[in-house]
Amino acid sequence: MYQLTGVSKEFHKNGKLIEAIRPMDAVIEDGAWLAIQGPTGHGKTTLLQLLGGLDRPTHGTVEFDGRQLSSLSESAVTKIRAAEIGFVFQTFNLIPTLSAAENVETALVPLKMSGANRRERTMNALESVGLADRARHLPSELSGGQQQRVGIARALVKEPRVLLADEPTGNLDEDTRDEIIDLLEASWRERGLTLVLVTHDSSIVKRAWLRGVMRKGRLTISEARPRNPDTDPDVDPDAGAEAEAA
Ligand SMILES: Nc1ncnc2c1ncn2[C@@H]1O[C@H](COP(=O)(O)OP(=O)(O)OP(=O)(O)O)[C@@H](O)[C@H]1O
């Protein structure tokens, strides 16, 4: 799914150089469930932005499904992002003046489908997160957990290949956190997604399949738990090798 080679990201602020990502390599296999933790300011969000094509590395290449995000035009990356990459944010990022359904539907606008098709997919997505009966509610009329469910429906409605979640439960209490992680995990399992999630919460990392640690701008990935063949979907063991050969 992802192959990062020699990737670094530098920022310049007030005449100072900030090395948010130091030169690193990584492979994230198709169908992986990777939870990334690490101290604050060590590059986790920056890494997610590179994986999502929201930003470009200073050096190195980010390959997504055989395509080098770093060398594609802005419009080509925007197209990939719109069709194949779902984002979930800590602060939900819903548009306050739009209903739950309208917020979800916004993700389909760039995909050029009929209004009827958009509305049908929107309702299916809201139903899949248990919020069909809240379709007309504004974000301010929903609880934090419900708002995050809308955020997840918005990310899933386009049927992405990857879900990138940045502290998706950071603003929620523990019970709601567990519900949201259950939902993300079910989506990963049922839809065969690749799930990459950043969190400060060790109890979430224990549920993931792979544990990533981001320290001083470098990611190391290790197995968090053995794969359970009864409940975990298959991954394509050659995905990394294929990306390497491409
Ligand atoms: N747009 C930017 N301009 C300048 N510096 C930036 C920018 N984005 C991030 N940084 C800096 O890069 C470093 C890594 O930031 P990043 O947000 O990736 O860390 P993080 O691990 O996600 O932190 P947290 O856990 O607090 O969210 C920090 O020193 C941050 O100040």
Side-chain angles (χ1 to χ4, degrees), residues 33-108:
W33 166 194
L34 167 66
I36 299 174
Q37 59 183 168
T40 185
H42 280 229
K44 301 181 295 297
T45 295
T46 306
L47 178 69
L48 271 199
Q49 297 204 323
L50 297 181
L51 295 179
L54 290 167
D55 207 346
R56 290 171 189 268
T58 309
H59 301 288
T61 56
V62 176
E63 201 168 284
F64 170 66
D65 203 23
R67 291 157 292 175
Q68 271 197 25
L69 293 183
S70 24
S71 61
L72 291 175
S73 69
E74 200 50 49
S75 67
V77 175
T78 302
K79 223 167 160 179
I80 290 176
R81 217 168 42 222
E84 299 179 48
I85 303 176
F87 290 91
V88 179
F89 305 93
Q90 176 172 1
T91 48
F92 321 136
N93 290 14
L94 301 178
I95 299 172
T97 50
L98 297 185
S99 68
E102 288 165 340
N103 266 286
V104 173
E105 201 176 327
T106 55
L108 296 177

Side-chain angles (χ1 to χ4, degrees), residues 33 178 181-182 185 202-209 225:
W33 166 194
D178 292 343
I181 298 299
D182 286 348
E185 213 165 40
S202 296
S203 68
I204 296 177
V205 179
K206 285 194 188 114
R207 296 178 56 161
W209 193 352
R225 63 171 172 83

Side-chain angles (χ1 to χ4, degrees), residues 5 11-12 14 22-23 25-26 28 37 47 53 64 76 80 86 95 97 101 135 138 164 169 210 218 221 238 244:
T5 310
F11 296 105
H12 296 271
N14 303 329
R22 291 169 196 265
D25 301 333
I28 303 173
Q37 59 183 168
L47 178 69
F64 170 66
I80 290 176
I95 299 172
T97 50
L138 292 173
L164 303 175
T169 60
L210 296 168
R218 285 214 174 95
I221 299 178
D238 296 328
E244 220 162 311

Side-chain angles (χ1 to χ4, degrees), residues 144-178:
Q146 288 171 334
Q147 289 184 55
Q148 191 56 298
R149 283 173 184 269
V150 176
I152 293 169
R154 179 185 54 192
L156 293 177
V157 72
K158 55 178 140 173
E159 296 175 1
R161 314 232 5 244
V162 179
L163 202 55
L164 303 175
D166 197 355
E167 292 269 3
T169 60
N171 282 4
L172 303 173
D173 63 37
E174 271 187 24
D175 287 345
T176 317
R177 172 197 71 189
D178 292 343

